[in-house]
Structure formats: structure tokens, C-alpha cells
Amino acid sequence: MRGHSFPFRQPPPVRQTRRGRGPDQKEQVMTGTSRRAFTLGLSFGALAARTLPLVGLVSHAAAASPAVNLPQAQIRIGRFTVTALADGYADMPYSYFPGRTPEQVEQAARAQFVARPGGVRFLFNQYLIEDGERRVLIDTGPAGSLGQTGLLPQALAALGLRPDQIDAVIVTHMHQDHIGGLVAGGRNNFPSAEIYIDRRDVVHWTNPAKQNAAPEYLQPSFRLSAEVMRLYPRLQAIDGERQITRGISIIDLAGHTPGHIGVRIEDAGQSLIMVSDMVFPVVHPSATDVNFLMEQDHAAAQAMRARFFPRAAEQGALIAATHMAFPGLGRIVSDRGSLRWQPADWAFQA
């Protein structure tokens, strides 16, 4: 990550409410004392641990229609409200994980009680960041181009928002399940938003020679990337790590794609990093040598995970991951010499 250090402070629990109920429902307030600091980068400098205030997580289901139940979860990071939204899901075949046989992946899924007939269930989580001044959306989901998806507009509507009220969209990389919502229906669906994508991904996914040499399962990503460039002529192809706005920064997590990035949200001594496709269900984080079918550079992806996972576990970083079980919030923890995913606790914290 180009030699930079990135502090991540573990947000302690919890101010929890549940929306959509009657006026007599009381708000529950809990306090806790979990503190840690996390440094992420090619140089992992240590940060002194410090006492932090609580961070709240709110979860409720907003029904956009009788047939659709839309989960939402909110967490506070200083002045920011971060809302996890779901565009839907798809089941990825057990054969989609190079580094393990399909039988090994299925066995691991069964051991974790998450096996599906069609494979490993992938969620498509997006994250809306608000501070009262700007609304920044991280990724836009496959929007019907993959699996049972296309719910993001309804999820935004449940918050009382239209896509044209989003001020910025940060695209972590140009795979179809992260850019589909930008151009669903052949339209510019976020007309008021500044669009940020790493230049390395823009170069890769708009290269005709790369497209001609790519397998069929990557062709939708190339086609959708061309649509993004056509419909968003003012798109900002960004170079390296930078601050998008105060407290929201880009970090370099290249490997999964040439320009794969993460987003750090930090304020008032609290932080969260959205790591996108650094972590996949079932296979991660227990193994860093397992890839996903759509990764172009398996060695680079493995190397990035090999650096990231142990440091995240050591420092107790709170992270958000696109494809982990909703809301995708959790930590990588060390358990008797092995790494595992620990979903973030959000209710009744002591």
C-alpha cells in the first residue's frame, strides 16, 4: 500500500435502537470498554492503544413491498453514520475458489453450516456514509446482472433517499458486482455524484486487448466498465491513496484487481475500513492462498491478503467486507494459531 501507515481504531459498542416499531419502544443504550488501534500499510507502525467512546449499530428491516424485506444496519464512526445496504445475493459454485478443490470448499461450508445447493452464498453489501453534509456511497452492487440482486434503489428509498441525492460514489474495483448499479438500465443512475475509481482499474477494464484475451466470465465486467466510462464522462480516475473528503480516505489494496482499493472512514478516534473483496466467506481468513475465480493476478491477491490478515488480527481492526454475511462488519481474529472471521457484535454489549 505504497509504504503508508493507516490507523484503525476499534469502535467499541453500542447504542442500539430498532426502527419501525411503535412509539412506546424504548431506546437501549449500552456501554463498553473495547479499545485497540490498527495500522495498515506496507510499513505497519504501531499505534498506542487509547480509550475510545462507544459506537452504535442500528439494525432494522424496511419492507419496500410485501415481497421484499430489506435489511439495514447503521454504525457511528465519529460524526459519520455508515449504513450497510444489501443489493441481494448470489451463490458461487464451490469450484470458483482456486487453491482448494470444490470438495474442500463444500466441506468447509458444511462445517460452518453455510453450504447452499448452488455453492457459497455471497452477499452484495454496499455502504452509505453520511455526515450531514455529504452522502458517499461505496460500490453499487450487480443490480440484476448477477444472482438475485437489484435491491439497492429500494434500500436507498427506505432511507428516504433517491440515487440523485448521492454526492459521491467510490468504486472499489470494476467487477460487475461493484459497478452494475451505476449503469443499470443503460442509464446514468447517479447523476449528481462524483465517481471515483482507481486509474489502474480504469486502464485495465477499458483495454480492448485485455478484453479480447479475457475469459467469458469476465466479459460482463468489461462491458459494464465501458458503459460506466460512456455514461460518466466526468469520472475521476484517481492515482494512489488520497482523501476524498475529511475523514474518508482511499487506501491501496491492489491484487484482487490491478486497482482494487479500500476506503477508510475515521473520525473522533474511531475508524472502519471497507476492504471490499479482500475477504470471501468460508475460505477466508483462515487461508491466504485461496483465490476467487475472477481475480486476474492470484499471486498479487495472495500477497496482499498475507500482509493484511495477520495485521488486522493483531490490531483488532473493525472492517467491512462486501461479500460476508450482512452487514459485512467484523474482525479477523487469531484463534489458537488460526485466523477466523468474527462478526461484529452489535447488541447488548457490556
Side-chain angles (χ1 to χ4, degrees):
M1 289 161 285
R2 306 185 188 179
H4 293 281
S5 295
F6 299 94
F8 293 87
R9 298 176 178 85
Q10 178 177 348
V14 109
R15 178 183 179 87
Q16 184 241 343
T17 66
R18 189 164 299 270
R19 299 178 181 175
R21 298 212 180 160
D24 295 333
Q25 180 180 351
K26 294 182 179 180
E27 189 177 74
Q28 297 172 327
V29 181
M30 284 66 77
T31 60
T33 57
S34 181
R35 308 117 164 84
R36 197 100 46 120
F38 178 58
T39 300
L40 174 63
L42 290 181
S43 59
F44 291 90
L47 291 180
R50 53 186 292 190
T51 301
L52 302 177
L54 298 185
V55 171
L57 182 62
V58 178
S59 179
H60 71 280
S65 71
V68 179
N69 196 36
L70 299 174
Q72 296 176 2
Q74 291 183 336
I75 185 169
R76 295 285 299 182
I77 302 293
R79 76 181 191 281
F80 294 110
T81 297
V82 181
T83 306
L85 307 169
D87 192 55
Y89 69 91
D91 294 340
M92 299 297 174
Y94 298 116
S95 59
Y96 276 25
F97 301 88
R100 295 291 184 274
T101 66
E103 292 76 18
Q104 288 173 320
V105 176
E106 182 175 6
Q107 182 179 16
R110 292 189 180 281
Q112 297 177 39
F113 300 97
V114 294
R116 300 290 195 280
V120 177
R121 177 148 298 180
F122 273 31
L123 272 289
F124 300 103
N125 301 316
Q126 292 80 52
Y127 299 91
L128 177 67
I129 310 165
E130 301 174 275
D131 66 355
E133 297 180 359
R134 298 193 79 195
R135 298 186 180 99
V136 179
L137 182 65
I138 304 178
D139 290 333
T140 62
S145 70
L146 185 66
Q148 304 299 311
T149 57
L151 299 178
L152 179 60
Q154 293 164 278
L156 289 172
L159 294 174
L161 296 175
R162 303 183 310 272
D164 63 5
Q165 293 176 294
I166 301 301
D167 299 299
V169 177
I170 302 173
V171 175
T172 60
H173 60 292
M174 297 185 84
H175 278 158
Q176 71 181 97
D177 55 317
H178 297 259
I179 61 174
L182 285 173
V183 295
R187 297 185 299 271
N188 176 326
N189 292 310
F190 294 88
S192 304
E194 298 176 283
I195 310 298
Y196 298 93
I197 308 178
D198 189 281
R199 188 179 304 277
R200 294 166 296 179
D201 250 38
V202 172
V203 170
H204 178 88
W205 294 103
T206 59
N207 185 324
K210 297 285 188 185
Q211 181 172 4
N212 291 338
E216 181 58 35
Y217 57 77
L218 288 176
Q219 293 302 318
S221 296
F222 281 100
R223 291 192 291 268
L224 288 172
S225 294
E227 283 289 277
V228 170
M229 301 306 294
R230 180 179 70 86
L231 293 168
Y232 295 88
R234 293 183 295 171
L235 177 150
Q236 298 189 45
I238 57 177
D239 295 297
E241 297 158 345
R242 58 169 290 180
Q243 183 171 267
I244 298 299
T245 189
R246 184 171 63 92
I248 302 176
S249 302
I250 301 298
I251 63 170
D252 186 1
L253 298 177
H256 178 74
T257 68
H260 185 250
I261 58 175
V263 180
R264 183 187 66 185
I265 305 146
E266 185 174 35
D267 188 59
Q270 305 159 20
S271 65
L272 167 71
I273 176 173
M274 196 286 183
V275 301
S276 190
D277 286 12
M278 282 285 289
V279 184
F280 288 123
V282 176
V283 296
H284 295 148
S286 60
T288 60
D289 62 333
V290 182
N291 291 94
F292 185 62
L293 180 69
M294 295 187 182
E295 290 175 330
Q296 285 77 59
D297 190 335
H298 289 184
Q302 289 177 18
M304 181 58 73
R305 290 184 177 109
R307 291 193 295 271
F308 180 87
F309 288 172
R311 272 63 173 191
E314 180 182 356
Q315 299 297 333
L318 179 65
I319 62 180
T322 300
H323 300 300
M324 301 303 279
F326 187 86
L329 297 169
R331 295 178 176 84
I332 295 171
V333 299
S334 180
D335 185 359
R336 291 171 290 184
S338 297
L339 297 177
R340 62 176 175 83
W341 174 258
Q342 177 65 47
D345 294 329
W346 59 271
F348 303 111
Q349 296 299 297

